[in-house]
Amino acid sequence: MNNSKLHVGLLFGGRSGEHEVSIVSAKAIATALAQNPSYDVRPFYIQKDGTWRSPQDSSVVLESGMAPAASAESANFQLPVEVNAIDLWFPVLHGPNGEDGTVQGLLQLMQKPYVGNGVLASAVGMDKIMMKSVFAQAGLAQVKYVALSRASWQRQPEIWCEHIELELGYPCFVKPSNLGSSVGISKVRDRAQLINAIASAISYDARVIIEQGVNAREIECAVLGNDRPQASVIGEITFKSDFYDYETKYTPGMADLIIPAVLPPEVAQAVQDMAVRAFQAIAGAGLARVDFFYIESTATVLINEINTFPGFTATSMYPKLWEATGIGFPELCDRLIALAQE
Ligand SMILES: Nc1ncnc2c1ncn2[C@@H]1O[C@H](COP(=O)(O)OP(=O)(O)O)[C@@H](O)[C@H]1O
Ligand SMILES: [Mg+2]
């Protein structure tokens, strides 16, 4: 019995702004996997500096549910020897250096199956400019946008401002192309704000995207599967702040999840279809959460983004959507492992 156990490597923490959320997601997943006697789960904590910790050290972090105080030691990029015993990886990492194809590339090189999206889907899903080009190609409706590089901005800021004002108008949203968690994102209402926001976004990333601002409800759909992906019921996020910024996302009580979202059935159906098409457009595998804007006055659905490793805590939208669709948290984890083995 013991020999036939599947050694699952749970990767968490990581070098991104979502390090803390990752620990909470990993704890929830570890608890669920522990219920299945066919798995032997070995945690691997990646410190904020990128150092991988042994399963023994990692268990302590997982138990506490919190990042330990940063050590003064310099980063050590050697992988722990315990890595060699892993049969299948479960990367529970959000944001850059985890959800963007970098870790997926490493796991691919290790020649072991892993849960979730591959290198290409992860990279495309993380980069907003790339993601939007792929969505446009797939015929998915989205907000108007302008893509901008640091070099080109610095050469002709005046001309870019005029172009953005003509194409998009105000309010518009300025975002680093490659980040997540709303970090570096600003809503701007005039030229002075636009210039400041671009300067700020460009300090995070050499590529920036500016989008037309819409007044819309924010709805989300979960996707699960490989070749025949399924869409969940739809959820909605409501909040009182101006937009779903970092503080609103991570301060308990500042946002509410409504599951299922109250929508006309044809709108819910359209969202589910678009979610599956978006997943297929990026060559998705395993899972994704697809986020939309729903403009009620015109019954318009616009795709906002795809998240290739969405928040996975016990109270996160992704597992909650599946729970409401009939797949509980432990079963969801089992399915993801089975999909990785396919
Ligand atoms: N074009 C837009 N129109 C209206 N609100 C927007 C727009 N873009 C972003 N937002 C607001 O900003 C939030 C974060 O933007 P998003 O692109 O989802 O970034 P992240 O990848 O960091 O989650 C959205 O949930 C929404 O509240
Ligand atoms: Mg978002």
Side-chain angles (χ1 to χ4, degrees):
M1 177 71 198
N2 225 18
N3 284 338
S4 67
K5 281 198 182 209
L6 184 75
H7 300 115
V8 179
L10 196 65
L11 260 183
F12 67 104
R15 290 179 55 213
S16 92
E18 289 148 289
H19 183 98
E20 279 75 15
V21 188
S22 162
I23 299 175
V24 183
S25 295
K27 190 172 183 178
I29 291 169
T31 306
L33 296 180
Q35 294 175 26
N36 187 327
S38 54
Y39 307 136
D40 175 9
V41 179
R42 314 229 168 137
F44 290 85
Y45 172 58
I46 303 178
Q47 292 178 181
K48 286 180 184 175
D49 67 7
T51 306
W52 288 43
R53 303 304 298 264
S54 70
Q56 205 182 346
D57 295 350
S58 302
S59 299
V60 178
V61 180
L62 205 55
E63 285 304 312
S64 78
M66 273 169 17
S71 69
E73 290 158 52
S74 62
N76 167 15
F77 295 103
Q78 257 177 14
L79 299 182
V81 289
E82 291 86 348
V83 158
N84 298 310
I86 299 304
D87 302 315
L88 180 144
W89 289 96
F90 201 139
V92 188
L93 299 163
H94 309 297
N97 302 303
E99 193 182 345
D100 61 354
T102 50
V103 164
Q104 288 72 17
L106 177 64
L107 302 179
Q108 193 91 37
L109 286 171
M110 289 181 185
Q111 301 184 51
K112 290 289 157 62
Y114 55 92
V115 166
N117 290 282
V119 174
L120 177 65
S122 301
V124 171
M126 194 71 228
D127 186 90
K128 291 187 191 297
I129 296 173
M130 217 42 99
M131 172 181 75
K132 280 178 191 282
S133 318
V134 171
F135 289 165
Q137 190 65 33
L140 292 160
Q142 53 192 341
V143 294
K144 286 173 81 178
Y145 67 93
V146 169
L148 184 59
S149 75
R150 184 184 289 152
S152 134
W153 164 252
Q154 283 166 352
R155 237 177 284 124
Q156 302 181 302
E158 281 282 305
I159 290 180
W160 277 111
C161 285
E162 279 160 26
H163 178 67
I164 291 161
E165 286 168 355
L166 197 70
E167 283 292 312
L168 313 176
Y170 296 109
C172 58
F173 282 79
V174 180
K175 314 176 179 181
S177 188
N178 211 314
L179 217 57
S181 273
S182 299
V183 174
I185 297 186
S186 326
K187 180 178 182 176
V188 303
R189 295 170 183 79
D190 58 39
R191 184 170 294 200
Q193 290 179 356
L194 178 64
I195 292 169
N196 281 335
I198 293 175
S200 155
I202 251 166
S203 72
Y204 290 102
D205 190 352
R207 286 152 67 254
V208 165
I209 184 166
I210 301 107
E211 297 176 13
Q212 191 164 64
V214 290
N215 206 336
R217 287 166 62 186
E218 298 198 34
I219 57 180
E220 306 189 342
C221 182
V223 177
L224 177 67
N226 290 334
D227 297 333
R228 287 177 304 283
Q230 304 292 306
S232 71
V233 299
I234 314 298
E236 178 166 5
I237 294 175
T238 59
F239 44 86
K240 295 217 164 56
S241 40
D242 191 27
F243 71 96
Y244 199 34
D245 57 9
Y246 186 88
E247 194 194 358
T248 312
K249 277 183 185 169
Y250 295 118
T251 311
M254 277 190 73
D256 289 308
L257 309 190
I258 301 168
I259 301 172
V262 181
L263 293 168
E266 64 279 11
V267 172
Q269 180 68 58
V271 169
Q272 288 172 326
D273 290 347
M274 285 174 79
V276 169
R277 280 167 58 206
F279 184 76
Q280 289 170 329
I282 68 159
L287 77 165
R289 196 193 71 224
V290 189
D291 300 349
F292 298 87
F293 296 125
Y294 174 53
I295 307 172
E296 213 165 8
S297 56
T298 54
T300 310
V301 177
L302 302 172
I303 190 165
N304 173 30
E305 63 166 336
I306 188 162
N307 294 284
T308 55
F309 199 86
F312 217 115
T313 73
T315 57
S316 294
M317 185 63 107
Y318 187 86
K320 285 279 171 199
L321 287 174
W322 282 116
E323 197 177 279
T325 312
I327 302 176
F329 198 105
E331 190 192 344
L332 183 58
C333 295
D334 285 341
R335 291 250 196 139
L336 286 169
I337 288 178
L339 287 166
Q341 288 169 319
E342 259 184 33

